[in-house]
């Protein structure tokens, strides 16, 4: 199993540009999520999905869109990049809590480092 | 809402020293508690977890005990190695969900 994969690893954008960060998992996990990591602030939840066709907002959703058309993929779209979105982005997946006996362990991808100029 | 507070770093230690990273939390009900580790240039890996009060999670020489009375989940290791240099995150999920709430992270640097 490849686990959770993310592309690209690095990206530089200009203010106002749009782009999509890709995330895929091959563990048949129902739950997927996107976090951003900023210095001193830990990881903050952007959006999450409990299954194909179902998404919801996390703590910091503004400026980001997601969709979940398949179990495997969960792309994150930046509609109009801003310097405040400079961050490291992590995708994670896990079995749904009830199905995993409440273990709730999440598996993280290697991250995408995004710089917005 | 849920929150996690952990000691700020960086924490600098010599090899074979004792490491403690404090973590306290605020949550309703009975959360599950986790420590994740992030090595330089990598994503997060689960280090250990505990799902109910008085549980002790352990892995790679690290330990943490779920203390409901003090709402704490402090991470300890008796003898650190240079390879333990990383950022450590305390986190929790609510009783029935998958959403993780993270602390701010503690950078640990172990010198030979």
């Amino acid at each position: 199993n490849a686990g959770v994969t993310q592309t690209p690893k690095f990206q530089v954008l200009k203010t106002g540009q749009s782009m999509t960060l890709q995330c895929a998992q091959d563990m048949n996990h129902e739950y997927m999520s996107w976090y951003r990591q900023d210095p001193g602030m830990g990881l903050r939840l952007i959006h999450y999905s409990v299954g194909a066709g179902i998404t919801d907002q996390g703590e910091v959703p503004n400026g980001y869109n997601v969709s979940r058309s398949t179990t495997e993929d969960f792309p994150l779209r930046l509609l109009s990049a801003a310097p405040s979105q400079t961050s490291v982005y992590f995708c994670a997946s896990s079995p749904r809590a009830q199905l995993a006996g409440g273990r709730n362990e999440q598996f993280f991808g290697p991250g995408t480092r995004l710089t917005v100029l | 809402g849920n929150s996690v507070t952990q000691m700020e770093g960086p924490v600098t230690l010599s090899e074979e020293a004792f490491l403690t990273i404090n973590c306290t939390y605020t949550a309703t009900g009975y959360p599950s508690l986790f420590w994740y580790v992030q090595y330089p240039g990598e994503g997060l890996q689960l280090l250990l977890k505990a799902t109910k009060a008085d549980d002790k999670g352990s892995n790679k020489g690290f330990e943490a005990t779920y203390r409901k009375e003090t709402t704490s989940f402090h991470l300890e290791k008796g003898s650190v190695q240079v390879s333990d240099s990383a950022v450590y995150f305390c986190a929790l999920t609510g009783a029935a969900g998958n959403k993780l709430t993270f602390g701010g992270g503690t950078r640990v640097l172990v010198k030979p």
Side-chain angles (χ1 to χ4, degrees):
Chain A
N1 287 351
V4 180
T5 58
Q6 293 183 237
T7 56
K9 281 194 169 183
F10 302 94
Q11 183 70 48
V12 178
L13 293 178
K14 294 181 179 179
T15 297
Q17 287 185 314
S18 63
M19 80 159 295
T20 299
L21 308 185
Q22 301 292 344
C23 174
Q25 53 90 11
D26 60 359
M27 297 173 282
N28 202 32
H29 286 166
E30 292 197 342
Y31 184 89
M32 296 186 74
S33 53
W34 278 102
Y35 296 86
R36 59 177 290 172
Q37 181 181 23
D38 301 295
M41 302 184 73
L43 279 75
R44 293 180 293 169
L45 182 64
I46 304 172
H47 285 286
Y48 66 98
S49 168
V50 298
I54 306 170
T55 63
D56 206 347
Q57 296 181 350
E59 181 184 355
V60 288
N62 292 341
Y64 307 95
N65 275 359
V66 292
S67 59
R68 184 94 179 271
S69 56
T70 66
T71 299
E72 294 78 19
D73 300 299
F74 191 45
L76 178 72
R77 297 183 186 85
L78 282 70
L79 305 176
S80 178
S84 60
Q85 293 178 304
T86 294
S87 187
V88 181
Y89 292 84
F90 288 100
C91 180
S93 75
S94 71
R96 195 147 48 100
Q98 296 87 330
L99 297 177
R103 290 182 59 210
N104 296 348
E105 176 180 351
Q106 293 202 27
F107 296 82
F108 284 80
T112 295
R113 184 175 295 275
L114 175 68
T115 301
V116 182
L117 303 176
Chain B
N2 298 337
S3 68
V4 176
T5 302
Q6 61 182 104
M7 58 189 293
E8 293 188 18
V11 175
T12 303
L13 302 166
S14 297
E15 210 165 19
E16 300 184 1
F18 185 86
L19 171 67
T20 299
I21 304 176
N22 290 338
C23 171
T24 57
Y25 67 90
T26 302
T28 54
Y30 298 90
S32 295
L33 302 174
F34 305 84
W35 277 101
Y36 281 84
V37 59
Q38 183 180 31
Y39 298 105
E42 298 184 11
L44 276 72
Q45 304 173 23
L46 179 67
L47 181 59
L48 54 84
K49 64 177 174 66
T51 58
K52 62 181 186 296
D54 299 325
D55 267 2
K56 177 185 283 188
S58 61
N59 186 26
K60 299 182 180 180
F62 290 89
E63 292 184 340
T65 301
Y66 189 145
R67 301 288 188 198
K68 189 163 178 63
E69 64 275 15
T70 56
T71 62
S72 65
F73 193 53
H74 305 321
L75 182 68
E76 297 181 337
K77 185 173 185 181
S79 177
V80 294
Q81 305 300 313
V82 172
S83 57
D84 293 324
S85 297
V87 181
Y88 294 83
F89 293 94
C90 186
L92 66 81
T93 61
N98 291 68
K99 287 190 287 183
L100 277 166
T101 299
F102 284 90
T106 302
R107 183 176 299 277
V108 173
L109 176 61
V110 181
K111 296 187 174 180

